Amino acid sequence: MIKVAPNSREITFDRQELIVSKTDLRGKLTYANRVFMRVSNFSEADLLGKDHSIIRHPDMPRGVFYGLWKALKSGQEFFGFVKNITSDGHYYWVFANITPDVVNGEKVGFFSVRRTAPKGALQVIEDIYRQMRDKEKGFPPAQAPEASWNWMVQNVLETRNQSYEQFVIELYQEHSQGGAR
Ligand SMILES: Cc1cc2nc3c(=O)[nH]c(=O)nc-3n(C[C@H](O)[C@H](O)[C@H](O)COP(=O)(O)O)c2cc1C
């Protein structure tokens, strides 16, 4: 897919707003709320049926999506900071939660709710993501996502004795108190 070139303009949204989407089991969009469309500047017709990677920003390390799908495929939910791209090449950061979407007891896809990401947390996260991208450059494409995820587990999580979920939730809570944005 040909995508617009990324630029340095940040798009923000209010602290009380939620960006919501749903996908099928493979990550194809089946629903997006109004806030999603406004912030990403994609219409419903642009989004539905497309892969969620339509808003993937090239600054995101592939290892984060490796961790995301590993969690979802093993039946766990995922929390994390994600930099997304808009249809005009601008960017916006979110703190995302993804859970299985269960209808009548059957898993039909995934459900994601995102809040604005506090600036203080992003200072920590951007530094880690930069190092993960650097790590990925040293590996063949097929091995890079797992390698950078493992680097993060060993160098960020194990030194703190935390799971990824504990680490990102703590970072979010620490910086979202007192109106950080
Ligand atoms: C419910 C759900 C929400 C997702 N939200 C995002 C998102 O906001 N941004 C994003 O880049 N990828 C998101 N993904 C992951 C994408 O499906 C995809 O794995 C990622 O963009 C990497 O794409 P690539 O492997 O084609 O580079 C989401 C996946 C699911 C299941």
Side-chain angles (χ1 to χ4, degrees):
M1 192 198 331
I2 299 165
K3 277 204 196 169
V4 66
N7 62 56
S8 59
R9 177 162 164 215
E10 183 177 17
I11 301 296
T12 55
F13 56 103
D14 285 345
R15 277 162 54 87
Q16 68 276 14
E17 288 188 301
L18 299 175
I19 297 182
V20 181
S21 63
K22 286 188 195 186
T23 69
D24 65 12
L25 290 167
R26 287 175 309 154
K28 292 219 181 299
L29 282 153
T30 54
Y31 170 79
N33 74 345
R34 294 269 150 215
V35 187
F36 190 125
M37 291 183 238
R38 191 192 79 229
V39 173
S40 69
N41 199 33
F42 281 110
S43 69
E44 194 165 52
D46 291 332
L47 294 171
L48 298 189
K50 302 284 169 51
D51 196 288
H52 216 310
S53 60
I54 188 169
I55 54 163
R56 188 208 197 292
H57 197 287
D59 285 356
M60 280 298 292
R62 296 171 64 205
V64 173
F65 300 116
Y66 171 86
L68 180 158
W69 282 104
K70 192 170 139 169
L72 296 183
K73 283 182 178 161
S74 65
Q76 294 170 270
E77 61 181 329
F78 173 83
F79 289 88
F81 293 92
V82 182
K83 183 177 188 175
N84 283 322
I85 196 164
T86 74
S87 68
D88 340 79
H90 310 327
Y91 71 89
Y92 62 99
W93 276 99
V94 297
F95 181 63
N97 173 228
I98 308 179
T99 52
D101 183 13
V102 179
V103 177
N104 298 331
E106 193 194 340
K107 191 163 100 178
V108 295
F110 302 102
F111 199 114
S112 179
V113 178
R114 310 166 183 87
R115 294 175 164 78
T116 187
K119 285 271 185 232
L122 293 181
Q123 277 172 14
V124 177
I125 286 294
E126 289 199 76
D127 185 48
I128 295 169
Y129 283 7
R130 186 180 44 71
Q131 293 182 73
M132 287 176 77
R133 286 198 309 271
D134 280 352
K135 265 277 153 257
E136 289 174 8
K137 285 180 198 145
F139 286 87
Q143 289 161 26
E146 185 175 2
S148 80
W149 177 261
N150 288 343
W151 173 86
M152 194 271 300
V153 169
Q154 280 155 20
N155 291 276
V156 179
L157 303 181
E158 286 178 3
T159 52
R160 290 176 164 85
N161 203 17
Q162 282 184 316
S163 69
Y164 184 68
E165 186 174 316
Q166 286 170 332
F167 171 60
V168 293
I169 291 177
E170 190 179 286
L171 201 54
Y172 177 77
Q173 286 173 345
E174 195 180 308
H175 293 279
S176 62
Q177 281 156 11
R181 195 158 182 147

